[in-house]
Amino acid sequence: GQQLNQSPQSMFIQEGEDVSMNCTSSSIFNTWLWYKQDPGEGPVLLIALYKAGELTSNGRLTAQFGITRKDSFLNISASIPSDVGIYFCAGHFYQGAQKLVFGQGTRLTINP
Amino acid sequence: DAGVTQSPTHLIKTRGQQVTLRCSPKSGHDTVSWYQQALGQGPQFIFQYYEEEERQRGNFPDRFSGHQFPNYSSELNVNALLLGDSALYLCASSPAGSGGSYEQYFGPGTRLTVT
């Protein structure tokens, strides 16, 4: 089935550092979405990408839809304590697909 | 503008029992999807409801069933509960007229514990 491999699984950084995480698949994906989940909460949509090569920003967050349509990355600049949480990539496998396929998540920890 | 709401927040059930979880979509959304999230994992798609019908289903047994009401709210029913059904159950809604469910907005989830 469709699987998304997210890396790294966890990150430990200092406040103010930049963060980069990525998501890859052996299959072509039609859309890529990035979510953040805090403990005990549901995932919150950060960025949605629809076209190969698309680069989209949301404040300090920037995400790109890979040219091959098999990968995506998320960058966070100048990290702050509230960036702590689990980041998930997700995507739709084909046009018209209803289900989102999720990666395993990247757990971000920030040392003040 | 109320977001996606789910009830109850937490639930404890015994093996073999049945459970019903409820979801109200975000205002203006007509499509509801349900996901199961085991501890330390990403959410797994259960099924999606649109126009009161199941539109797509993930790899879950028939013990998992759902319903969508005319006001777009939805229920997830799980019969004959197993210990492995313990998880966070997430509801997500999508904007009306999207033609799909590209941007899904999640509720806070219902934590189900089966003992």
Side-chain angles (χ1 to χ4, degrees), chain B residues 13-21 36 47 57 60-66 76-85 89 112 114:
Chain B
K13 290 286 189 178
T14 304
R15 273 180 301 176
Q17 286 188 318
Q18 177 265 343
V19 69
T20 298
L21 310 182
Q36 180 194 68
F47 42 54
R57 188 179 184 92
F60 279 81
D62 291 344
R63 297 187 298 109
F64 289 77
S65 63
L76 165 66
N77 301 294
V78 187
N79 295 322
L81 284 167
L82 304 173
L83 294 179
D85 294 332
Y89 287 85
L112 173 65
V114 182

mmCIF file of all heavy atoms in Angstrom, chain B residues 13-21 36 47 57 60-66 76-85 89 112 114:
data_model
loop_
_atom_site.group_PDB
_atom_site.id
_atom_site.type_symbol
_atom_site.label_atom_id
_atom_site.label_comp_id
_atom_site.label_asym_id
_atom_site.label_seq_id
_atom_site.Cartn_x
_atom_site.Cartn_y
_atom_site.Cartn_z
ATOM 1 N N LYS B 13 -14.196 1.314 27.884
ATOM 2 C CA LYS B 13 -15.137 0.233 27.605
ATOM 3 C C LYS B 13 -14.467 -1.105 27.884
ATOM 4 O O LYS B 13 -13.245 -1.209 27.971
ATOM 5 C CB LYS B 13 -15.576 0.282 26.136
ATOM 6 C CG LYS B 13 -16.477 1.459 25.787
ATOM 7 C CD LYS B 13 -17.863 1.241 26.337
ATOM 8 C CE LYS B 13 -18.840 2.273 25.842
ATOM 9 N NZ LYS B 13 -20.214 2.039 26.345
ATOM 10 N N THR B 14 -15.288 -2.129 27.968
ATOM 11 C CA THR B 14 -14.809 -3.487 28.199
ATOM 12 C C THR B 14 -14.841 -4.263 26.894
ATOM 13 O O THR B 14 -15.695 -3.987 26.022
ATOM 14 C CB THR B 14 -15.692 -4.175 29.251
ATOM 15 O OG1 THR B 14 -15.709 -3.396 30.436
ATOM 16 C CG2 THR B 14 -15.190 -5.575 29.560
ATOM 17 N N ARG B 15 -13.930 -5.203 26.742
ATOM 18 C CA ARG B 15 -13.914 -6.063 25.561
ATOM 19 C C ARG B 15 -15.293 -6.637 25.277
ATOM 20 O O ARG B 15 -15.986 -7.088 26.181
ATOM 21 C CB ARG B 15 -12.941 -7.223 25.771
ATOM 22 C CG ARG B 15 -11.524 -6.936 25.391
ATOM 23 C CD ARG B 15 -10.644 -8.133 25.631
ATOM 24 N NE ARG B 15 -10.665 -8.559 27.033
ATOM 25 C CZ ARG B 15 -10.042 -9.630 27.493
ATOM 26 N NH1 ARG B 15 -9.362 -10.414 26.663
ATOM 27 N NH2 ARG B 15 -10.091 -9.944 28.758
ATOM 28 N N GLY B 16 -15.674 -6.636 23.992
ATOM 29 C CA GLY B 16 -16.959 -7.177 23.588
ATOM 30 C C GLY B 16 -18.080 -6.157 23.549
ATOM 31 O O GLY B 16 -19.112 -6.394 22.912
ATOM 32 N N GLN B 17 -17.877 -5.019 24.216
ATOM 33 C CA GLN B 17 -18.910 -3.996 24.203
ATOM 34 C C GLN B 17 -18.926 -3.236 22.892
ATOM 35 O O GLN B 17 -18.076 -3.428 22.018
ATOM 36 C CB GLN B 17 -18.694 -3.010 25.362
ATOM 37 C CG GLN B 17 -19.062 -3.569 26.721
ATOM 38 C CD GLN B 17 -19.015 -2.488 27.802
ATOM 39 O OE1 GLN B 17 -18.091 -1.666 27.824
ATOM 40 N NE2 GLN B 17 -19.995 -2.511 28.691
ATOM 41 N N GLN B 18 -19.916 -2.351 22.761
ATOM 42 C CA GLN B 18 -20.058 -1.518 21.577
ATOM 43 C C GLN B 18 -19.896 -0.062 21.989
ATOM 44 O O GLN B 18 -20.185 0.299 23.145
ATOM 45 C CB GLN B 18 -21.450 -1.757 20.964
ATOM 46 C CG GLN B 18 -21.779 -0.918 19.757
ATOM 47 C CD GLN B 18 -22.552 0.342 20.095
ATOM 48 O OE1 GLN B 18 -23.113 0.468 21.178
ATOM 49 N NE2 GLN B 18 -22.551 1.298 19.192
ATOM 50 N N VAL B 19 -19.415 0.778 21.065
ATOM 51 C CA VAL B 19 -19.205 2.189 21.394
ATOM 52 C C VAL B 19 -19.654 3.059 20.223
ATOM 53 O O VAL B 19 -19.580 2.640 19.055
ATOM 54 C CB VAL B 19 -17.717 2.451 21.725
ATOM 55 C CG1 VAL B 19 -16.836 2.308 20.489
ATOM 56 C CG2 VAL B 19 -17.533 3.812 22.343
ATOM 57 N N THR B 20 -20.148 4.243 20.541
ATOM 58 C CA THR B 20 -20.534 5.232 19.529
ATOM 59 C C THR B 20 -19.832 6.540 19.829
ATOM 60 O O THR B 20 -19.923 7.062 20.945
ATOM 61 C CB THR B 20 -22.053 5.464 19.511
ATOM 62 O OG1 THR B 20 -22.713 4.239 19.158
ATOM 63 C CG2 THR B 20 -22.419 6.535 18.488
ATOM 64 N N LEU B 21 -19.117 7.046 18.839
ATOM 65 C CA LEU B 21 -18.421 8.324 18.950
ATOM 66 C C LEU B 21 -19.096 9.318 18.013
ATOM 67 O O LEU B 21 -19.586 8.933 16.949
ATOM 68 C CB LEU B 21 -16.940 8.157 18.558
ATOM 69 C CG LEU B 21 -16.176 7.013 19.223
ATOM 70 C CD1 LEU B 21 -14.725 7.012 18.772
ATOM 71 C CD2 LEU B 21 -16.275 7.090 20.729
ATOM 72 N N GLN B 36 -8.165 6.498 12.944
ATOM 73 C CA GLN B 36 -7.728 5.879 14.198
ATOM 74 C C GLN B 36 -6.239 6.155 14.362
ATOM 75 O O GLN B 36 -5.455 5.934 13.429
ATOM 76 C CB GLN B 36 -7.955 4.361 14.152
ATOM 77 C CG GLN B 36 -7.531 3.630 15.416
ATOM 78 C CD GLN B 36 -7.450 2.121 15.209
ATOM 79 O OE1 GLN B 36 -6.594 1.635 14.478
ATOM 80 N NE2 GLN B 36 -8.337 1.380 15.866
ATOM 81 N N PHE B 47 -12.885 5.635 7.329
ATOM 82 C CA PHE B 47 -13.805 5.865 6.213
ATOM 83 C C PHE B 47 -14.185 7.331 6.144
ATOM 84 O O PHE B 47 -13.855 8.124 7.025
ATOM 85 C CB PHE B 47 -15.082 5.001 6.287
ATOM 86 C CG PHE B 47 -15.721 4.861 7.644
ATOM 87 C CD1 PHE B 47 -16.065 5.955 8.414
ATOM 88 C CD2 PHE B 47 -15.997 3.600 8.147
ATOM 89 C CE1 PHE B 47 -16.654 5.811 9.646
ATOM 90 C CE2 PHE B 47 -16.596 3.433 9.384
ATOM 91 C CZ PHE B 47 -16.920 4.547 10.135
ATOM 92 N N ARG B 57 -13.500 3.684 2.064
ATOM 93 C CA ARG B 57 -13.238 2.963 3.294
ATOM 94 C C ARG B 57 -11.786 2.504 3.312
ATOM 95 O O ARG B 57 -11.245 2.082 2.281
ATOM 96 C CB ARG B 57 -14.160 1.747 3.408
ATOM 97 C CG ARG B 57 -14.095 1.046 4.749
ATOM 98 C CD ARG B 57 -15.048 -0.133 4.798
ATOM 99 N NE ARG B 57 -15.044 -0.736 6.134
ATOM 100 C CZ ARG B 57 -15.885 -0.390 7.104
ATOM 101 N NH1 ARG B 57 -16.825 0.524 6.875
ATOM 102 N NH2 ARG B 57 -15.815 -0.957 8.286
ATOM 103 N N PHE B 60 -10.249 -1.461 7.466
ATOM 104 C CA PHE B 60 -10.802 -1.741 8.788
ATOM 105 C C PHE B 60 -11.958 -2.740 8.647
ATOM 106 O O PHE B 60 -12.685 -2.712 7.655
ATOM 107 C CB PHE B 60 -11.303 -0.451 9.449
ATOM 108 C CG PHE B 60 -10.209 0.359 10.082
ATOM 109 C CD1 PHE B 60 -9.409 1.184 9.306
ATOM 110 C CD2 PHE B 60 -9.963 0.280 11.443
ATOM 111 C CE1 PHE B 60 -8.378 1.908 9.873
ATOM 112 C CE2 PHE B 60 -8.943 1.009 12.028
ATOM 113 C CZ PHE B 60 -8.147 1.827 11.232
ATOM 114 N N PRO B 61 -12.110 -3.619 9.652
ATOM 115 C CA PRO B 61 -13.173 -4.637 9.565
ATOM 116 C C PRO B 61 -14.562 -4.024 9.667
ATOM 117 O O PRO B 61 -14.732 -2.865 10.023
ATOM 118 C CB PRO B 61 -12.871 -5.541 10.769
ATOM 119 C CG PRO B 61 -12.129 -4.668 11.728
ATOM 120 C CD PRO B 61 -11.325 -3.718 10.886
ATOM 121 N N ASP B 62 -15.544 -4.873 9.349
ATOM 122 C CA ASP B 62 -16.944 -4.427 9.356
ATOM 123 C C ASP B 62 -17.441 -4.051 10.747
ATOM 124 O O ASP B 62 -18.534 -3.474 10.871
ATOM 125 C CB ASP B 62 -17.837 -5.529 8.774
ATOM 126 C CG ASP B 62 -17.605 -5.729 7.297
ATOM 127 O OD1 ASP B 62 -16.998 -4.827 6.683
ATOM 128 O OD2 ASP B 62 -18.027 -6.764 6.757
ATOM 129 N N ARG B 63 -16.667 -4.404 11.766
ATOM 130 C CA ARG B 63 -17.055 -3.984 13.128
ATOM 131 C C ARG B 63 -17.096 -2.457 13.236
ATOM 132 O O ARG B 63 -17.736 -1.909 14.145
ATOM 133 C CB ARG B 63 -16.041 -4.504 14.161
ATOM 134 C CG ARG B 63 -15.945 -6.003 14.268
ATOM 135 C CD ARG B 63 -15.050 -6.405 15.430
ATOM 136 N NE ARG B 63 -13.674 -5.944 15.290
ATOM 137 C CZ ARG B 63 -13.126 -4.985 16.025
ATOM 138 N NH1 ARG B 63 -13.836 -4.373 16.970
ATOM 139 N NH2 ARG B 63 -11.867 -4.647 15.848
ATOM 140 N N PHE B 64 -16.400 -1.806 12.331
ATOM 141 C CA PHE B 64 -16.380 -0.340 12.297
ATOM 142 C C PHE B 64 -17.430 0.122 11.279
ATOM 143 O O PHE B 64 -17.371 -0.256 10.097
ATOM 144 C CB PHE B 64 -15.009 0.178 11.880
ATOM 145 C CG PHE B 64 -13.942 -0.018 12.918
ATOM 146 C CD1 PHE B 64 -13.359 -1.266 13.107
ATOM 147 C CD2 PHE B 64 -13.513 1.038 13.698
ATOM 148 C CE1 PHE B 64 -12.379 -1.456 14.073
ATOM 149 C CE2 PHE B 64 -12.523 0.864 14.660
ATOM 150 C CZ PHE B 64 -11.953 -0.380 14.850
ATOM 151 N N SER B 65 -18.387 0.882 11.750
ATOM 152 C CA SER B 65 -19.426 1.397 10.859
ATOM 153 C C SER B 65 -19.689 2.857 11.210
ATOM 154 O O SER B 65 -19.290 3.330 12.275
ATOM 155 C CB SER B 65 -20.713 0.581 10.979
ATOM 156 O OG SER B 65 -21.244 0.690 12.287
ATOM 157 N N GLY B 66 -20.378 3.525 10.294
ATOM 158 C CA GLY B 66 -20.615 4.941 10.547
ATOM 159 C C GLY B 66 -21.941 5.401 10.006
ATOM 160 O O GLY B 66 -22.701 4.638 9.385
ATOM 161 N N LEU B 76 -19.377 7.340 14.609
ATOM 162 C CA LEU B 76 -18.555 6.160 14.362
ATOM 163 C C LEU B 76 -18.983 5.115 15.384
ATOM 164 O O LEU B 76 -18.998 5.399 16.578
ATOM 165 C CB LEU B 76 -17.070 6.492 14.520
ATOM 166 C CG LEU B 76 -16.107 5.307 14.649
ATOM 167 C CD1 LEU B 76 -16.073 4.497 13.364
ATOM 168 C CD2 LEU B 76 -14.700 5.801 14.986
ATOM 169 N N ASN B 77 -19.341 3.940 14.913
ATOM 170 C CA ASN B 77 -19.727 2.841 15.788
ATOM 171 C C ASN B 77 -18.699 1.719 15.673
ATOM 172 O O ASN B 77 -18.282 1.367 14.564
ATOM 173 C CB ASN B 77 -21.098 2.295 15.397
ATOM 174 C CG ASN B 77 -22.174 3.354 15.464
ATOM 175 O OD1 ASN B 77 -22.499 3.850 16.534
ATOM 176 N ND2 ASN B 77 -22.704 3.729 14.307
ATOM 177 N N VAL B 78 -18.320 1.182 16.817
ATOM 178 C CA VAL B 78 -17.428 0.032 16.817
ATOM 179 C C VAL B 78 -18.081 -1.058 17.663
ATOM 180 O O VAL B 78 -18.398 -0.836 18.830
ATOM 181 C CB VAL B 78 -16.036 0.356 17.380
ATOM 182 C CG1 VAL B 78 -15.097 -0.843 17.193
ATOM 183 C CG2 VAL B 78 -15.457 1.594 16.703
ATOM 184 N N ASN B 79 -18.295 -2.226 17.055
ATOM 185 C CA ASN B 79 -18.906 -3.360 17.756
ATOM 186 C C ASN B 79 -17.843 -4.346 18.224
ATOM 187 O O ASN B 79 -16.723 -4.370 17.699
ATOM 188 C CB ASN B 79 -19.873 -4.092 16.822
ATOM 189 C CG ASN B 79 -21.054 -3.229 16.435
ATOM 190 O OD1 ASN B 79 -21.566 -2.469 17.253
ATOM 191 N ND2 ASN B 79 -21.464 -3.322 15.177
ATOM 192 N N ALA B 80 -18.234 -5.183 19.191
ATOM 193 C CA ALA B 80 -17.361 -6.273 19.654
ATOM 194 C C ALA B 80 -15.938 -5.774 19.891
ATOM 195 O O ALA B 80 -14.978 -6.261 19.286
ATOM 196 C CB ALA B 80 -17.380 -7.415 18.636
ATOM 197 N N LEU B 81 -15.806 -4.794 20.760
ATOM 198 C CA LEU B 81 -14.516 -4.141 20.998
ATOM 199 C C LEU B 81 -13.421 -5.133 21.383
ATOM 200 O O LEU B 81 -13.644 -6.072 22.167
ATOM 201 C CB LEU B 81 -14.673 -3.094 22.094
ATOM 202 C CG LEU B 81 -15.361 -1.798 21.673
ATOM 203 C CD1 LEU B 81 -15.752 -0.976 22.902
ATOM 204 C CD2 LEU B 81 -14.483 -0.990 20.731
ATOM 205 N N LEU B 82 -12.233 -4.872 20.825
ATOM 206 C CA LEU B 82 -11.028 -5.624 21.141
ATOM 207 C C LEU B 82 -10.055 -4.711 21.866
ATOM 208 O O LEU B 82 -10.126 -3.484 21.731
ATOM 209 C CB LEU B 82 -10.385 -6.160 19.864
ATOM 210 C CG LEU B 82 -11.256 -7.021 18.950
ATOM 211 C CD1 LEU B 82 -10.513 -7.326 17.656
ATOM 212 C CD2 LEU B 82 -11.655 -8.307 19.658
ATOM 213 N N LEU B 83 -9.110 -5.318 22.590
ATOM 214 C CA LEU B 83 -8.103 -4.507 23.273
ATOM 215 C C LEU B 83 -7.367 -3.618 22.273
ATOM 216 O O LEU B 83 -7.016 -2.476 22.575
ATOM 217 C CB LEU B 83 -7.115 -5.403 24.010
ATOM 218 C CG LEU B 83 -7.667 -6.219 25.180
ATOM 219 C CD1 LEU B 83 -6.560 -7.079 25.785
ATOM 220 C CD2 LEU B 83 -8.270 -5.314 26.242
ATOM 221 N N GLY B 84 -7.127 -4.138 21.071
ATOM 222 C CA GLY B 84 -6.404 -3.403 20.037
ATOM 223 C C GLY B 84 -7.145 -2.213 19.471
ATOM 224 O O GLY B 84 -6.581 -1.443 18.694
ATOM 225 N N ASP B 85 -8.421 -2.067 19.853
ATOM 226 C CA ASP B 85 -9.179 -0.896 19.396
ATOM 227 C C ASP B 85 -8.881 0.332 20.247
ATOM 228 O O ASP B 85 -9.340 1.438 19.926
ATOM 229 C CB ASP B 85 -10.681 -1.182 19.442
ATOM 230 C CG ASP B 85 -11.102 -2.271 18.456
ATOM 231 O OD1 ASP B 85 -10.424 -2.422 17.416
ATOM 232 O OD2 ASP B 85 -12.098 -2.967 18.739
ATOM 233 N N TYR B 89 -9.425 8.400 18.451
ATOM 234 C CA TYR B 89 -10.252 8.418 17.246
ATOM 235 C C TYR B 89 -10.489 9.867 16.851
ATOM 236 O O TYR B 89 -11.047 10.661 17.612
ATOM 237 C CB TYR B 89 -11.562 7.668 17.476
ATOM 238 C CG TYR B 89 -11.319 6.180 17.526
ATOM 239 C CD1 TYR B 89 -10.935 5.571 18.723
ATOM 240 C CD2 TYR B 89 -11.405 5.401 16.385
ATOM 241 C CE1 TYR B 89 -10.659 4.207 18.767
ATOM 242 C CE2 TYR B 89 -11.136 4.042 16.420
ATOM 243 C CZ TYR B 89 -10.756 3.451 17.614
ATOM 244 O OH TYR B 89 -10.476 2.110 17.652
ATOM 245 N N LEU B 112 -10.270 6.386 23.344
ATOM 246 C CA LEU B 112 -10.985 5.157 23.720
ATOM 247 C C LEU B 112 -10.010 4.169 24.343
ATOM 248 O O LEU B 112 -8.975 3.850 23.750
ATOM 249 C CB LEU B 112 -11.638 4.516 22.493
ATOM 250 C CG LEU B 112 -12.278 3.142 22.716
ATOM 251 C CD1 LEU B 112 -13.460 3.241 23.671
ATOM 252 C CD2 LEU B 112 -12.716 2.529 21.381
ATOM 253 N N VAL B 114 -9.958 0.314 25.880
ATOM 254 C CA VAL B 114 -10.696 -0.950 26.008
ATOM 255 C C VAL B 114 -9.956 -1.833 27.012
ATOM 256 O O VAL B 114 -8.752 -2.091 26.862
ATOM 257 C CB VAL B 114 -10.809 -1.666 24.650
ATOM 258 C CG1 VAL B 114 -11.619 -2.957 24.805
ATOM 259 C CG2 VAL B 114 -11.454 -0.758 23.616
#
